[in-house]
Amino acid sequence: MFHFYYGVGRIQPNNLKHIDPAVAQAIENEKNRQMNVIELIPSENLVSTAVLEAMGSIFTNKYSEGYPHKRYYGGQEFVDVVEELAIERAKRLFGAEHVNIQPYSGSPANMAVYFALLNPGDKFMGMSLAHGGHLTHGSAVSFSGILYRQIPYCVDKETEMMDYGALKKLAESERPKMIVSGASAYPREIDFKAIDEIADSVGAYSFADIAHIAGLIIANLHKSPFPFTDVVTTTTHKTLRGPRGAIIMCKQEFAEKIDKAVFPGLQGGPHDHINAAKAVCFAEAMKPEFIEYQKQIVKNAKALASELMALGVKLVSNGTDNHLMLLDLRNRGITGKQAETALDEVNITVNKNMIPFDERKPYDPSGIRIGTPVVTTRGMKENEMKEIAKLIVRALDNINNAHEKQKIKEEVLGLCGRFPFY
Ligand code: DSN
């Protein structure tokens, strides 16, 4: 039983409901929302209660600027334990030479890499946002496109897949200082080795952002960027199924630069409660069940993609190799925003997304992005994916039919009720 003391007062368990009923109610409502929707946003997941417990722990009370055994505050004996556990586990999981577990999230982790390896104004190559890249891979509205000079690379117009020959030619003519690989909305396998070789051939650093596919890489379902890539970042909350946060992994020769860029370059005290949860997530990722989970994510994505295509939906690149897919809605006469709203109304959560060579704008693009990490965590398998594909298509075909949408919503609630969690 926890007792919290504030001055002379003692607050009993159930404290959040007593102290802040409005926030307590919002949390309860959000839990119910999560249980009653088919969550298909591919960057989200549902963490275990062990991860939640570590995140909500008293490590949040501690300041620990610095690194294990070299801190700027006293009282670090237990913080060092969890940080070292997280580092060692991440090294084993990925085969990394050096790991920094302190980045607060994916964008700050990527920022630390730019800060460590580039100077403002330096030229680098990253995948265009509309073709699947992330904001921090050089988008004009992100620090990465404001402080540094991005040369975007694109997918091939016919296949909608990466074109390594074109990437090589671009690298040879532009001579960038760094090439960023990885994506947030690319449904196909990425050949990190090919990109590293291109980077090497023009004297550029290679930097892979594996945020979306880290779990698949651990399970050997996607090619790994290790050991050849210079620096690799990943968030810990997507297919990895851990707390919201990120880590940076690199070859030993970059370790000092990366560590200095994170602290004291960009961050102050690490979030020790989140780092404890990262250690827990890595321990979970070493279990055979985690590998089975990743296999099922991919099987589910393939089943969902096949059924959608059988029902006449156009998918970017005509399929998927990983956990996500992009629906190209141009031939259905609706936009990504309209589709997202219609699906929200039937309790299916997705995000609108640009598709390659999109002529529309990011706030109302031509596509939606969906993925299977959450529904797989809930225990759904290929049969449920077929059901979900049918529900999606019915909703997209009936965006102005309130009666049909109500019927679809009831079916969605029935499906969710068969796969409870928390
Ligand atoms: N914003 C994340 C996503 O949804 O893919 C990437 O950081």
Side-chain angles (χ1 to χ4, degrees), residues 39-82:
E39 176 56 73
L40 294 175
I41 295 174
S43 45
E44 294 186 9
N45 216 324
L46 308 171
V47 299
S48 68
T49 45
V51 167
L52 278 178
E53 205 178 318
M55 287 168 74
S57 72
I58 43 68
F59 270 123
T60 196
N61 299 337
K62 192 72 196 101
Y63 249 115
S64 53
E65 284 177 10
Y67 290 102
H69 310 292
K70 196 172 174 223
R71 307 273 186 185
Y72 293 84
Y73 295 78
Q76 303 296 342
E77 54 270 45
F78 305 114
V79 166
D80 282 355
V81 169
V82 293

Side-chain angles (χ1 to χ4, degrees), residues 72-119:
Y72 293 84
Y73 295 78
Q76 303 296 342
E77 54 270 45
F78 305 114
V79 166
D80 282 355
V81 169
V82 293
E83 185 155 348
E84 286 184 320
L85 276 174
I87 290 169
E88 285 316 310
R89 288 172 184 172
K91 279 185 181 174
R92 271 168 53 204
L93 275 173
F94 291 99
E97 286 179 20
H98 178 78
V99 179
N100 185 311
I101 60 138
Q102 294 192 3
Y104 300 142
S105 203
S107 295
N110 288 355
M111 191 178 217
V113 178
Y114 288 83
F115 197 46
L117 301 183
L118 303 184
N119 293 311

Side-chain angles (χ1 to χ4, degrees), residues 61 77 131 214 250 281 325 327 356 408:
N61 299 337
E77 54 270 45
H131 291 245
C250 62
C281 144
M325 64 213 74
L327 282 64
I408 299 168

Side-chain angles (χ1 to χ4, degrees), residues 11 46 57 125 127 148 172 186 220 242 268 336-337 350 355 388:
I11 293 150
L46 308 171
S57 72
M125 281 170 56
M127 196 179 206
Y148 307 95
E172 282 166 354
Y186 182 65
N220 228 351
K337 191 169 165 220
V350 308
I355 55 169
I388 292 173

Side-chain angles (χ1 to χ4, degrees), residues 156-402:
D156 176 74
K157 197 155 190 176
E158 283 305 304
T159 62
E160 297 174 316
M161 296 195 207
M162 292 205 34
D163 178 345
Y164 297 95
L167 200 149
K168 185 171 167 56
K169 272 196 197 138
L170 189 63
E172 282 166 354
S173 68
E174 294 288 349
R175 315 292 298 183
K177 194 164 171 188
M178 180 166 85
I179 301 182
V180 186
S181 56
S184 281
Y186 182 65
R188 296 298 181 174
E189 187 166 31
I190 296 170
D191 189 343
F192 292 113
K193 182 93 186 117
I195 299 177
D196 178 74
E197 281 170 7
I198 294 168
D200 246 11
S201 72
V202 297
Y205 297 121
S206 58
F207 162 29
D209 174 350
I210 60 167
H212 268 261
I213 50 173
L216 272 53
I217 287 171
I218 289 170
N220 228 351
L221 298 165
H222 189 292
K223 289 184 182 124
S224 170
F226 295 98
F228 41 83
T229 305
D230 294 324
V231 184
V232 179
T233 59
T234 181
T235 49
T236 45
H237 49 270
K238 298 188 175 86
T239 47
L240 252 182
R241 207 165 53 179
R244 201 151 281 261
I247 60 174
I248 305 177
M249 299 169 275
C250 62
K251 291 180 180 164
Q252 195 57 42
E253 63 186 285
F254 301 105
E256 196 180 333
K257 276 188 176 174
I258 291 291
D259 284 352
K260 278 190 174 154
V262 174
F263 172 82
L266 292 170
Q267 297 188 177
H271 292 178
D272 298 313
H273 56 310
I274 299 297
N275 294 342
K278 287 175 190 171
V280 175
C281 144
F282 299 148
E284 289 178 346
M286 285 170 177
K287 298 194 167 147
E289 304 89 276
F290 183 81
I291 307 299
E292 290 311 308
Y293 165 58
Q294 299 297 325
K295 285 183 185 161
Q296 193 62 47
I297 288 178
V298 176
K299 282 189 206 161
N300 281 353
K302 286 186 186 295
L304 186 55
S306 313
E307 188 68 13
L308 284 169
M309 289 190 291
L311 294 169
V313 175
K314 163 78 178 91
L315 295 187
V316 168
S317 82
N318 296 316
T320 179
D321 296 329
N322 57 27
H323 62 304
L324 68 80
M325 64 213 74
L326 284 161
L327 282 64
D328 175 346
L329 302 169
R330 287 175 301 183
N331 63 357
R332 304 186 85 82
I334 54 171
T335 69
K337 191 169 165 220
Q338 288 171 324
E340 181 190 289
T341 304
L343 290 166
D344 250 339
E345 286 166 357
V346 300
N347 285 23
I348 297 177
T349 315
V350 308
N351 70 274
K352 53 184 169 285
N353 214 95
M354 300 279 276
I355 55 169
F357 307 99
D358 207 332
E359 284 172 6
R360 301 184 62 84
K361 296 268 180 276
Y363 194 67
D364 192 7
S366 301
I368 55 173
R369 183 184 68 152
I370 64 177
T372 54
V374 174
V375 288
T376 309
T377 292
R378 289 185 79 155
M380 295 184 194
K381 298 222 160 83
E382 288 91 327
N383 281 342
E384 286 75 38
M385 298 306 114
K386 287 185 188 160
E387 262 183 73
I388 292 173
K390 291 190 179 85
L391 291 164
I392 290 174
V393 172
R394 270 171 64 204
L396 296 182
D397 285 345
N398 288 282
I399 64 169
N400 295 315
N401 183 340

